[in-house]
Amino acid sequence: MKASLRPALGALLILLLVLLSVEGFRLSPAFGWILPLTVIAGAWLGWALRQAWIYPAQLARAEAMWAAGEPASAVAECLDRTPLATGELGYRIRLLRSAADLALGYRDRAWLDALDAHLARLPLWKRPLVAQAFRRVGDTPSVRRLAWGDRFIRLAPRMARLRHLQGILLLRSGREDALHEAWVHFEAALPLAWDDPLVLEDLMLAGLQHGREDVAERALELLATRHGDPRLPWDRGAAAMHLLRQGRPAEALALVRGLPLDQRRPAQLWLAESVSRRRLGDLEGAWRMIGAAMDHWPDSFRLWMERYQTALELRRDDEALQSLGRAWRAIPAGDEGAGEALRQEWQLRRAEFAFWWEDDPALARELLAKLPPEGQGDHHPPLLLQVKVALGEYEAACGEVAALLQRIPGDTDLLLLQADCLAGLEAWEALLPFLDGLGEACRERAGFWHLRGLGRANLGDHAHARADLERAARMDPENLRYLLDAGHGCAELGDWDRAEGHWRQALQVDGQSEEALIHLAEARRELEDLEGARRYLRECLLHHPESADAQARLAELEAN
């Protein structure tokens, strides 16, 4: 029967019943009781028919539409014609209606629909009583209200919404033991709320906020397994970032990757997928994802900083620096709150880039000086200490390293930094015994062999110095300094072919290295290839036209 004909047919049946009852009363007043009984019987029969045949058919149709991916608005419209559904049938209808409203973005309506679903399961006499628990409550509930909450829970112990509400009211109450009592109710609500994504989401977020990661994890597991439909917009971004903090990028990626791009409203969803891909080693995939995110969120500071990190790992330094510039412009104005925290984060990242990628420790120190001590990062050794060593402040740095070693004795990084300070102070006689006394953990670092090679070279032990310097270069073949010094070690012994090999490798690391080009020219001249020497010097001047050393050497070769 068409839905449009049902109201007309119902009206005709009611009119027929009324006419029959009136005719019976006219024939004999004794038949007047037929009218109310007929109306009651007709109402009950209409409700029973709906419960037995009409509503189950509509629910089956709506479930099929939802499963087939039809628009949520069509599913909601189909369920609108089931206002009298009750019991388990009403529960299923209202839960599906809640999911459809949630997919449409009507979060408040979805919350009320889910509440009606749970109320529909209760016996008729309990529903109006339990429904009173969800009336509007002030910000600070009274003791009487909390006591009534406990009574409602005893009345409907299997209703997750009651326990969830009681936990929220306890958190608002300000009582001394409120937090503990609230979490007792939240934990009790969790297994009962397996079919309610809105309550599960709230429990997950509360768990993350209050440090109850066990509750958050259990709620997230239910959300992911039972409510993973991408049309249900629960907070996958917060969940994914939690998984990333736990070092579980594969799970975070599985959580967000199925979401259609046009439905990723919070920028956090784009960020979560990009970070997950980057940590899993899919750098190109992360770069594409962050590029697509920029089209939707061009003013997101967090996305620009993720683009900066991805560019660094892809060795696209220019793109990284550009991303830092855009991130600075995305910081909200204001000296307090989130704006100041973002500025401090940006300054720290810019200082790192200046120190490690631009080889500009002076700029790094200038930026770090603007930050409070707690905002200077958690680097080990401290970044400011490394900057001092790079700027040649060896005595001051050596004292700081010694103080840190008293707190962390035997730390490999600090011991090698102390050795670096001794090398900077040219205390070669003290450096070698210090290095020889270090443990096996230090010997596994390329820096150990590099420093020992420098110490031996400065003490005139060139044969052993070359072995140590070459070992450092083999352990870290991407380190330009190690390659250049390994070449110097060979040159000191007159092995120019071997030195040239190290300097060529250095040129592969940095194709414009002034020092590598000049030393290659020197090697070519020693091997009597004057034209090759001139070619390297001209290339050096092409990249570094102000290089006085290259100019002098080229002038000398041209004169000869």
Side-chain angles (χ1 to χ4, degrees):
M1 182 185 300
K2 292 186 177 180
S4 58
L5 296 178
R6 287 174 186 160
L9 182 58
L12 288 173
L13 289 173
I14 292 172
L15 181 60
L16 179 61
L17 289 172
V18 171
L19 289 175
L20 290 173
S21 300
V22 170
E23 180 63 20
F25 181 77
R26 188 181 66 80
L27 294 174
S28 174
F31 292 102
W33 56 269
I34 295 177
L35 177 59
L37 287 180
T38 302
V39 172
I40 293 172
W44 180 86
L45 182 60
W47 174 82
L49 288 173
R50 283 171 170 77
Q51 290 288 113
W53 288 289
I54 298 174
Y55 290 171
Q58 288 180 323
L59 173 60
R61 182 183 171 210
E63 288 177 336
M65 293 168 64
W66 179 261
E70 294 194 27
S73 56
V75 177
E77 183 180 356
C78 179
L79 295 172
D80 276 342
R81 298 187 292 273
T82 57
L84 301 178
T86 187
E88 194 67 22
L89 177 65
Y91 169 77
R92 290 174 56 193
I93 286 175
R94 286 171 176 79
L95 270 189
L96 183 55
R97 175 58 193 263
S98 175
D101 285 337
L102 192 58
L104 290 169
Y106 303 137
R107 193 176 184 85
D108 292 339
R109 189 185 299 174
W111 185 273
L112 293 175
D113 284 334
L115 174 60
D116 288 340
H118 290 282
L119 289 172
R121 267 183 162 179
L122 298 178
L124 283 174
W125 67 273
K126 287 186 179 181
R127 288 180 206 169
L129 294 175
V130 174
Q132 296 301 309
F134 298 94
R135 293 182 302 173
R136 186 174 181 83
V137 182
D139 291 339
T140 305
S142 64
V143 175
R144 182 181 178 186
R145 177 64 185 82
L146 293 173
W148 270 106
D150 290 332
R151 294 189 187 102
F152 287 134
I153 290 173
R154 287 195 294 272
L155 193 62
R158 302 292 300 170
M159 189 171 175
R161 289 280 178 129
L162 281 175
R163 296 183 180 274
H164 176 249
L165 175 63
Q166 188 73 352
I168 293 174
L169 295 179
L170 283 165
L171 289 178
R172 293 182 185 173
S173 68
R175 288 162 49 171
E176 183 177 353
D177 56 347
L179 184 60
H180 171 71
E181 292 183 22
W183 277 105
V184 170
H185 286 290
F186 286 155
E187 290 189 45
L190 185 56
L192 303 174
W194 60 271
D195 54 356
D196 195 336
L198 290 168
V199 171
L200 289 173
E201 178 189 37
D202 201 57
L203 292 174
M204 178 190 72
L205 296 177
L208 295 177
Q209 179 182 356
H210 292 279
R212 292 297 306 271
E213 293 186 355
D214 56 332
V215 175
E217 289 277 356
R218 288 158 58 198
L220 173 56
E221 182 180 1
L222 286 171
L223 282 167
T225 55
R226 301 197 62 89
H227 307 285
D229 192 315
R231 291 171 291 182
L232 299 180
W234 50 272
D235 199 342
R236 289 173 174 82
M241 298 310 292
H242 162 71
L243 292 173
L244 289 171
R245 288 191 295 271
Q246 296 292 314
R248 296 150 64 185
E251 295 177 51
L253 181 59
L255 200 62
V256 299
R257 70 182 302 174
L259 295 175
L261 298 184
D262 58 349
Q263 293 182 15
R264 299 189 181 192
R265 299 292 184 268
Q268 197 177 42
L269 291 171
W270 299 86
L271 179 65
E273 179 160 355
S274 179
V275 174
S276 300
R277 290 184 179 277
R278 175 169 58 81
R279 293 188 182 177
L280 290 169
D282 182 12
L283 296 179
E284 290 296 339
W287 184 256
R288 288 193 299 272
M289 180 55 58
I290 206 69
M294 294 286 86
D295 295 337
H296 294 80
W297 305 90
D299 298 322
S300 170
F301 171 83
R302 193 58 57 201
L303 286 175
W304 281 113
M305 294 303 287
E306 171 59 18
R307 187 177 188 271
Y308 157 74
Q309 186 62 42
T310 307
L312 285 184
E313 296 191 24
L314 286 168
R315 299 188 178 183
R316 299 176 183 176
D317 296 353
D318 293 339
E319 294 278 5
L321 189 58
Q322 178 195 16
S323 299
L324 276 178
R326 291 295 301 272
W328 176 259
R329 295 197 291 274
I331 297 176
D335 296 333
E336 299 180 356
E340 180 59 25
L342 296 181
R343 268 188 290 277
Q344 290 186 9
E345 180 183 348
W346 185 91
Q347 288 171 335
L348 176 60
R349 300 297 170 237
R350 186 64 184 87
E352 292 171 348
F353 189 83
F355 182 63
W356 280 308
W357 281 272
E358 294 180 315
D359 195 22
D360 189 350
L363 176 58
R365 182 170 192 166
E366 179 184 342
L367 290 164
L368 290 172
K370 300 176 183 178
L371 298 173
E374 64 274 10
Q376 294 180 1
D378 55 357
H379 311 86
H380 183 74
L383 181 58
L384 186 58
L385 180 56
Q386 297 182 57
V387 168
K388 288 180 180 179
V389 173
L391 290 172
E393 300 176 12
Y394 300 113
E395 290 187 16
C398 200
E400 291 185 37
V401 172
L404 288 172
L405 279 169
Q406 289 182 351
R407 297 205 304 266
I408 320 173
D411 184 85
T412 301
D413 295 305
L414 292 174
L415 289 171
L416 290 177
L417 191 61
Q418 190 172 32
D420 206 356
C421 291
L422 291 174
L425 293 170
E426 298 185 358
W428 308 114
E429 292 83 357
L431 175 62
L432 286 180
F434 176 80
L435 289 172
D436 290 338
L438 297 182
E440 193 62 33
C442 292
R443 295 171 183 269
E444 294 175 357
R445 301 285 189 90
F448 171 88
W449 300 102
H450 179 249
L451 288 170
R452 198 167 85 158
L454 292 179
R456 285 178 163 176
N458 280 277
L459 292 175
D461 187 1
H462 295 296
H464 289 98
R466 179 178 72 175
D468 288 342
L469 292 171
E470 287 188 322
R471 183 169 182 174
R474 285 195 303 272
M475 293 176 70
D476 188 359
E478 298 295 320
N479 190 301
L480 184 65
R481 183 74 265 155
Y482 295 172
L483 292 168
L484 292 171
D485 288 345
H488 294 323
C490 297
E492 288 290 343
L493 295 172
D495 192 346
W496 291 100
D497 286 325
R498 197 162 173 173
E500 185 180 16
H502 290 299
W503 291 330
R504 286 186 185 278
Q505 191 175 351
L507 205 60
Q508 292 177 3
V509 175
D510 181 1
Q512 299 181 9
S513 170
E514 178 182 0
E515 188 175 348
L517 289 167
I518 288 176
H519 289 315
L520 279 169
E522 181 183 5
R524 286 288 90 199
R525 188 180 67 174
E526 292 294 333
L527 294 170
E528 299 182 357
D529 180 9
L530 300 183
E531 185 56 37
R534 294 189 189 97
R535 186 171 63 253
Y536 280 121
L537 290 171
R538 292 190 189 104
E539 184 178 351
C540 180
L541 289 171
L542 179 65
H543 299 303
H544 308 279
E546 304 300 324
S547 175
D549 193 7
Q551 290 175 359
R553 289 172 182 266
L554 182 60
E556 181 183 352
L557 287 174
E558 295 289 357
N560 293 331

